[in-house]
Amino acid sequence: MKTILVPIDFTSTTENAARTAADWAKQYEYQQIILLKIAGESEFDYLHIAEGHSFVNEESVNDLLHRTEQLFDHLSDIITEKAPDIKVSRVLSDWALTRSINELIKNQPSVELIILGSDDSTSTTESFVSDNIISIARTSPVKTLIIPNSYRYSTIKNIFIPCDIKGIKRLERLFHHKYIIHKQDVQLLFLNINTKKNDIDEDKKRELEEYIHQHLTEVPSSIHYSYDEDIINGILTFASSNNADLIIALPGRHSFLYYLASRSISEGIYQNTHQPVLILK
């Protein structure tokens, strides 16, 4: 049973991720969506401080559990309305978020995709899940789809893949998933960004083009080259001007994950307010 895992909290950011999961499940033939909620996310909602000590307020705990069940019901209804044939499961975990995800995937090998909501300028409340995107994406054994809060699902037609002309073997990660691409009416746009002007190795360029055409003979694709000292800016500018519906992040220098690990989130995912980002494993 092909399964999508969606970590949730009490924000519109993860509600939008759940909505997108329903659309994604229909498009790519998933049979189940698991909603994962962390019990300890709002621990300070029910801790009462008195005389230097803290203790659990039972009434607050019960209220939190009630609100959690309401959240599960609400998101399950959203998914079922969009995709009536999709099974919706609920998991409430006492572990930390990253550990909960990895333990669940270990016990549920049918999970093939994690969908994470990401805060952006349209978010009104800070998402607990969004705060943990980097650690989840780094440690997840399965591919991860990051959904900006302002994103609204539309059929995927133009897939944009930033790639490094000096590391074309990393494209093998993409070719492992080409059976999915073949089933869809899509176009692939590859982009190599140079941070120095007039710094293209013609032999490497020719090797990249031959490699892509050799492995993707049945899928329409085009290869582009541009210059930008800021690779993140170059990626987002190209994605916007070429109507990209999805950005696929590969390992290496052009990866969103690489930049998010070494730069502030605001310079990476938070700039990306339009397109979802799929991080391959």
Side-chain angles (χ1 to χ4, degrees):
M1 182 180 290
K2 287 180 59 179
T3 301
I4 297 173
L5 173 62
V6 186
I8 60 170
D9 52 37
F10 293 105
T11 66
S12 62
T13 297
T14 59
E15 178 175 321
N16 187 51
R19 290 180 189 275
T20 303
D23 292 314
W24 198 271
K26 287 194 299 181
Q27 176 83 25
Y28 296 102
E29 300 177 351
Y30 286 84
Q31 290 83 42
Q32 178 178 218
I33 294 174
I34 298 176
L35 300 174
L36 171 66
K37 177 74 172 60
I38 304 304
E41 169 207 339
S42 303
E43 58 182 333
F44 292 106
D45 289 349
Y46 54 82
L47 285 179
H48 177 68
I49 309 299
E51 298 180 356
H53 300 282
S54 64
F55 59 90
V56 175
N57 181 311
E58 184 176 355
E59 181 180 350
S60 296
V61 172
N62 291 335
D63 178 65
L64 177 62
L65 291 174
H66 177 65
R67 291 195 298 121
T68 298
E69 283 304 311
Q70 287 183 318
L71 177 64
F72 276 134
D73 289 342
H74 175 60
L75 297 183
S76 297
D77 288 344
I78 288 174
I79 294 169
T80 300
E81 182 178 350
K82 281 179 164 288
D85 296 330
I86 302 297
K87 177 183 178 182
V88 182
S89 301
R90 311 172 179 197
V91 174
L92 181 63
S93 174
D94 291 323
W95 289 333
L97 181 57
T98 302
R99 180 182 176 186
S100 296
I101 290 171
N102 290 326
E103 288 291 333
L104 192 152
I105 292 173
K106 186 187 302 182
N107 296 323
Q108 296 264 4
S110 63
V111 175
E112 297 184 7
L113 174 68
I114 302 173
I115 294 184
L116 302 173
S118 171
D119 288 335
D120 59 24
S121 59
T122 66
S123 303
T124 56
T125 305
E126 186 173 321
S127 167
F128 174 76
V129 172
S130 181
D131 285 345
N132 287 272
I133 280 178
I134 304 305
S135 61
I136 296 169
R138 278 178 174 172
T139 61
S140 166
V142 301
K143 56 186 180 291
T144 303
L145 182 66
I146 299 173
I147 302 294
N149 184 51
S150 58
Y151 173 74
R152 298 299 177 263
Y153 181 83
S154 61
T155 303
I156 304 297
K157 294 292 185 182
N158 293 321
I159 299 177
F160 167 39
I161 304 143
C163 61
D164 185 355
I165 198 171
K166 298 177 182 177
I168 62 174
K169 289 295 184 182
R170 297 188 181 102
L171 287 170
E172 290 179 356
R173 302 291 181 92
L174 173 66
F175 301 145
H176 290 163
H177 300 276
K178 69 179 182 180
Y179 70 94
I180 299 176
I181 299 171
H182 283 164
K183 295 172 64 176
Q184 308 295 324
D185 179 20
V186 299
Q187 174 174 306
L188 305 183
L189 296 87
F190 294 88
L191 173 69
N192 180 85
I193 299 176
N194 295 297
T195 55
K196 297 179 181 179
K197 287 185 177 180
N198 305 316
D199 185 29
I200 288 191
D201 185 319
E202 290 299 325
D203 290 336
K204 289 290 185 182
K205 179 178 177 181
R206 184 166 50 253
E207 184 182 357
L208 173 65
E209 293 171 356
E210 290 176 354
Y211 188 78
I212 289 173
H213 291 143
Q214 176 186 351
H215 287 84
L216 293 171
T217 54
E218 301 174 21
V219 181
S221 63
S222 57
I223 305 170
H224 306 263
Y225 303 89
S226 71
Y227 159 77
D228 198 310
E229 293 180 357
D230 184 329
I231 290 182
I232 285 287
N233 182 68
I235 288 173
L236 297 179
T237 298
F238 184 90
S240 177
S241 60
N242 287 273
N243 299 317
D245 300 308
L246 173 69
I247 301 173
I248 291 183
L250 298 169
R253 196 167 62 94
H254 283 61
S255 170
F256 259 58
L257 190 56
Y258 173 90
Y259 268 83
L260 292 175
S262 58
R263 300 171 60 176
S264 70
I265 292 178
S266 62
E267 291 184 80
I269 284 182
Y270 284 12
Q271 288 186 22
N272 175 48
T273 58
H274 302 293
Q275 301 88 0
V277 177
L278 179 63
I279 299 173
L280 298 184
K281 294 292 178 175

